[in-house]
Amino acid sequence: MTVEYVIIGNGVASVGAIEAIRQHDKKGGITVFTDEEYPCYGRPLISYYLEGRAQPDNMNYRPKDFYKANMVDLHLSEPVTKLDAAAHTVTAGGKQYSYDKLLVATGSSPFVPPTPGYDTVKDKFTFIRMSDALALAKKVKKRSRVLIIGAGLTGLKCAEGLYPRAGHITVVDMADRVLPAVMDAEGANIVRKYLEGKGMEFHLGDSVAEYAGNVAHLKSGKDVEFDVLVTAVGVRPNTALVAEAGGVTETVLPNGRIMRGIVTNDDRSTTLPDVYAAGDCSLSYDVTIEGVRPLAIQPNAYMQGETAGLAMCGAEVFKREYLPVNAGGFLGLHIITAGSYDGEAITIAEDGNYHRFFVKDGRLVGFIEIGNYPRAGILTDMIRKRTPVAKVDFASLIKSPSLGALGMDYVRAVLKK
């Protein structure tokens, strides 16, 4: 008897699930529904498309024949509108499809704050999908004044992508620094000054009180004139299908804070029978804070999808350790951040580079590096495995990461793999 697998969403998590399923089940039917018109692509590459460093044809996450080779029935531009967990069916395009196992990998959607006058802005965009990048590429010209609301990773990557195209870029954020979710104050100041040196303008600790056509009236009293508006203040997990079907889509932390996202077990199963969830729409256990939160990062999405795929086809599931890792750069300034920024901070600033490491309860729990950061994978592995700093030559490790600094027991363990 063949198993019918249905996947809602066509991002990296769905690819991870497809590949895991096909490793163990060569005959089961796999049907994928997505509201996008493109096969799975690398979302971080959309800023590179704006820069002219990538084209849609070479942004695919897998080769063009991926779906055919894996016998996947792909439904582009056909979103699922209803999930009936009791009947084991989904509705898409007005038709019902039955499933034995279902993966919800619906990702997230951009949040646009309700701001007076927003409807008066003619050319306004978000920045999360390929379609956003294609639309911006058509609209932004050499003399365009671009206003970006949001100085986080999405906002600054958009600014980087538009930099060669636009005449001027202004970034507004209510936080007092850029990259507030992934950077401390000192590191954020380095990034902001670097981008200001490239001609970008920042209004931090401020927000838009009202739009009036092509003018943004800020709460500080300042006015910003623009031709194109991009809102990049954050995303919200797409949980509606699971919530409407009766699944649990939020959890309350011990401190009372509500975390929104589909709640899953270690094997990515949800509170609905035979329904799994992976990627930005779901919550994950972060080893660095020892608690759950959204981890909207591409490598984590793939691993979550892979885990779900293994569980869906009845294969052995191995526990994955998730943590937030962000690596990239802005106009030539390279950064990498990982984990949480709690505990004792150790800072090394020299030769134009900035490195800060956070140690809590005798373990490395996070780091921020700007500039050159050789072999940062060693540090993330140390965080993931909760390696005590007392068991390694930590002083040498943070100055020049090497396997030798981790000790011979660690090296032998690596060589055995």
Side-chain angles (χ1 to χ4, degrees), residues 80 82-91 96-97 99 102 241 245 272-273 275:
V80 170
K82 183 180 179 181
L83 161 61
D84 188 331
H88 277 53
T89 63
V90 298
T91 301
Q96 280 192 344
Y97 298 83
Y99 67 83
L102 174 71
L241 286 171
L272 299 175
V275 177

Side-chain angles (χ1 to χ4, degrees), residues 385 391 403-416:
K385 293 180 177 176
K391 289 190 175 182
L403 290 176
L406 289 170
M408 289 309 300
D409 289 342
Y410 182 94
V411 173
R412 292 189 189 98
V414 170
L415 292 175
K416 287 180 181 179

Side-chain angles (χ1 to χ4, degrees), residues 20-320:
I21 291 170
R22 281 292 176 247
Q23 286 178 6
H24 301 275
D25 185 346
K26 307 295 185 183
K27 298 181 180 180
I30 302 178
T31 305
V32 175
F33 296 95
T34 174
D35 59 356
E36 291 200 75
E37 59 182 295
Y38 310 99
C40 182
Y41 58 89
R43 291 191 188 278
L45 297 179
I46 64 174
S47 64
Y48 296 155
Y49 167 74
L50 288 178
E51 283 186 89
R53 295 167 56 190
Q55 293 300 317
D57 288 345
N58 57 27
M59 292 168 61
N60 291 335
Y61 190 67
R62 288 294 184 266
K64 290 183 178 180
D65 66 346
F66 171 77
Y67 300 96
K68 182 178 180 180
N70 287 281
M71 297 179 291
V72 175
D73 183 12
L74 177 63
H75 293 246
L76 297 174
S77 300
E78 193 171 336
V80 170
T81 56
K82 183 180 179 181
L83 161 61
D84 188 331
H88 277 53
T89 63
V90 298
T91 301
K95 299 180 181 180
Q96 280 192 344
Y97 298 83
S98 297
Y99 67 83
D100 295 304
K101 301 291 181 178
L102 174 71
L103 172 63
V104 178
T106 46
S108 56
S109 296
F111 171 63
V112 178
T115 307
Y118 183 75
D119 291 340
T120 69
V121 179
K122 179 182 177 182
D123 296 318
K124 51 184 180 286
F125 305 87
T126 53
F127 192 69
I128 190 173
R129 294 184 168 208
M130 176 83 79
S131 56
D132 298 325
L134 294 174
L136 279 167
K138 291 180 179 179
K139 185 58 61 175
V140 176
K141 309 299 181 184
K142 280 295 183 182
R143 292 188 177 182
S144 297
R145 300 164 299 175
V146 179
L147 171 60
I148 299 175
I149 307 301
L153 283 166
T154 301
L156 292 193
K157 290 305 290 184
C158 181
E160 178 189 44
L162 290 174
Y163 183 77
R165 294 176 177 269
H168 185 72
I169 296 175
T170 302
V171 182
V172 173
D173 198 303
M174 65 172 54
D176 62 357
R177 63 183 186 266
V178 303
L179 303 173
V182 301
M183 195 69 66
D184 63 354
E186 190 172 348
N189 190 48
I190 294 172
V191 176
R192 178 181 60 80
K193 286 185 175 180
Y194 179 85
L195 295 178
E196 285 178 335
K198 298 290 186 179
M200 292 187 192
E201 179 182 350
F202 291 88
H203 296 279
L204 303 175
D206 210 344
S207 59
V208 178
E210 183 179 8
Y211 294 103
N214 283 16
V215 179
H217 300 297
L218 304 186
K219 290 186 177 180
S220 64
K222 299 174 183 177
D223 289 342
V224 178
E225 296 182 355
F226 61 91
D227 301 301
V228 176
L229 172 68
V230 181
T231 302
V233 297
V235 297
R236 288 183 171 177
N238 294 326
T239 62
L241 286 171
V242 171
E244 291 167 4
V248 178
T249 57
E250 64 179 38
T251 189
V252 181
L253 301 184
N255 61 7
R257 184 180 178 186
I258 297 175
M259 284 291 176
R260 292 181 171 83
I262 300 171
V263 175
T264 71
N265 298 309
D266 286 344
D267 66 353
R268 311 309 301 177
S269 60
T270 71
T271 56
L272 299 175
D274 298 317
V275 177
Y276 300 75
D280 296 6
C281 64
S282 62
L283 294 173
S284 297
Y285 185 83
D286 179 353
V287 299
T288 66
I289 64 169
E290 297 183 339
V292 297
R293 61 172 167 175
L295 292 174
I297 300 168
Q298 185 168 286
N300 286 334
Y302 182 88
M303 289 191 293
Q304 292 162 12
E306 183 182 42
T307 298
L310 292 172
M312 290 164 72
C313 67
E316 181 182 0
V317 176
F318 47 93
K319 187 175 181 180
R320 310 302 291 261

